[in-house]
Amino acid sequence: MNITNNIVAAYIDSLYKSSNADLQNLREMSVQNHVPIIQKDAENLLKVIMKLKKPARVLEIGTAVGYSSCVFTECCGCQVTTIELDDATADIAESNIRNMGFSDRINVLRGDGREVLKELQKGDFSSESDKYDILFVDAAKSHYREFWDLSMPMLKEDCIIICDNVLQKGMTASDEFDTRGRYKTSIRHMRNFIDYITSLDNFDTVVSPTGDGLSISIRKHNE
């Protein structure tokens, strides 16, 4: 029996509680201004993962207004490197991060995620301690495979990779949700990406209908 529907979603959202008044205000402001941020149920799941993993370093692709970066740092005190394409949006993110008191733990990098990742790769990641525990991807959907591949050398052996919006309002699952046929390219790229990450022998991956769809991938330990 499929119980995923608007009633169940509303009930799950009703269970959401923010532990930080400033973050709650930032969420409400983002919603009012139609800024895409992680949905409530996705946030709850991400916070549980963060508390279980206890990451020292998180790499995020897609900063937006800095909400998810602040959630991660507030949750477990981790250092976050986050990448934002749009300069004006990055300015807003840096202001929000500063107002939250997280400027010393969240570093906003500007530019196309693919190019920034190539530059990051030039750093010293020879030691496991210099690598990232968690990768969170919430940027251009057609480039998820590139973000994944470019980030790989900078991720720890026991990393977790989380990608948001992988169901794209249901369109990844069925063309019937793309009523005007406007997102064929994005849908094709996302389906190929999901096929790729679920076929990897060195990762265990689950796709969850949480939020707009989360893929959660855990790298398997070397035998």
Side-chain angles (χ1 to χ4, degrees):
M1 177 181 177
N2 182 7
I3 63 168
T4 302
N5 55 47
N6 291 336
I7 295 173
V8 173
Y11 171 70
I12 292 173
D13 276 353
S14 73
L15 303 177
Y16 171 83
K17 294 179 182 177
S18 177
S19 58
N20 185 300
D22 291 330
L23 271 175
Q24 178 64 30
N25 290 336
L26 180 54
R27 168 174 280 285
E28 292 173 357
M29 180 185 69
S30 299
V31 171
Q32 290 171 4
N33 292 317
H34 306 289
V35 176
I37 61 171
I38 50 176
Q39 296 184 29
K40 291 178 178 178
D41 57 343
E43 179 182 334
N44 281 338
L45 179 55
L46 288 170
K47 287 193 291 189
V48 169
I49 293 172
M50 290 285 169
K51 290 178 180 179
L52 287 171
K53 181 65 174 173
K54 298 180 175 64
R57 305 187 71 203
V58 173
L59 176 60
E60 176 185 53
I61 306 171
T63 313
V65 294
Y67 181 81
S68 50
S69 294
C70 290
V71 167
F72 300 154
T73 295
E74 196 271 339
C75 179
C76 61
C78 58
Q79 295 284 335
V80 178
T81 299
T82 181
I83 303 170
E84 175 54 44
L85 173 62
D86 184 75
D87 267 330
T89 304
D91 286 340
I92 295 171
E94 288 184 336
S95 176
N96 289 330
I97 290 165
R98 186 167 52 252
N99 292 337
M100 290 286 298
F102 293 147
S103 294
D104 61 331
R105 283 181 279 175
I106 301 175
N107 183 27
V108 180
L109 303 179
R110 300 170 184 238
D112 184 297
R114 295 164 294 179
E115 298 306 316
V116 175
L117 289 171
K118 291 175 185 176
E119 287 299 312
L120 275 178
Q121 283 183 8
K122 296 176 182 178
D124 184 7
F125 292 98
S126 56
S127 170
E128 277 292 290
S129 62
D130 295 323
K131 296 181 179 182
Y132 295 99
D133 302 276
I134 289 179
L135 169 66
F136 179 62
V137 182
D138 187 10
K141 312 310 170 205
S142 294
H143 301 316
Y144 273 27
R145 170 68 186 272
E146 293 170 278
F147 296 148
W148 175 290
D149 291 341
L150 288 167
S151 300
M152 201 57 57
M154 300 178 284
L155 302 178
K156 290 183 178 178
E157 284 297 322
D158 60 349
C159 68
I160 298 176
I161 302 176
I162 305 166
C163 301
D164 198 12
N165 303 118
V166 297
L167 293 181
Q168 302 183 107
K169 297 181 172 60
M171 292 185 292
T172 304
S174 174
D175 291 336
E176 69 181 274
F177 293 102
D178 183 22
T179 54
R180 299 184 181 180
R182 296 170 56 188
Y183 301 101
K184 291 182 179 179
T185 300
S186 180
I187 292 168
R188 185 181 74 253
H189 280 291
M190 187 60 74
R191 287 175 181 167
N192 289 340
F193 173 69
I194 295 298
D195 287 344
Y196 172 68
I197 63 176
T198 55
S199 68
L200 291 172
D201 292 332
N202 59 333
F203 276 89
D204 286 319
T205 294
V206 62
V207 176
S208 168
T210 306
D212 189 28
L214 286 176
S215 68
I216 304 169
S217 305
I218 300 177
R219 181 140 56 184
K220 298 177 183 178
H221 294 289
N222 292 329
E223 299 295 337

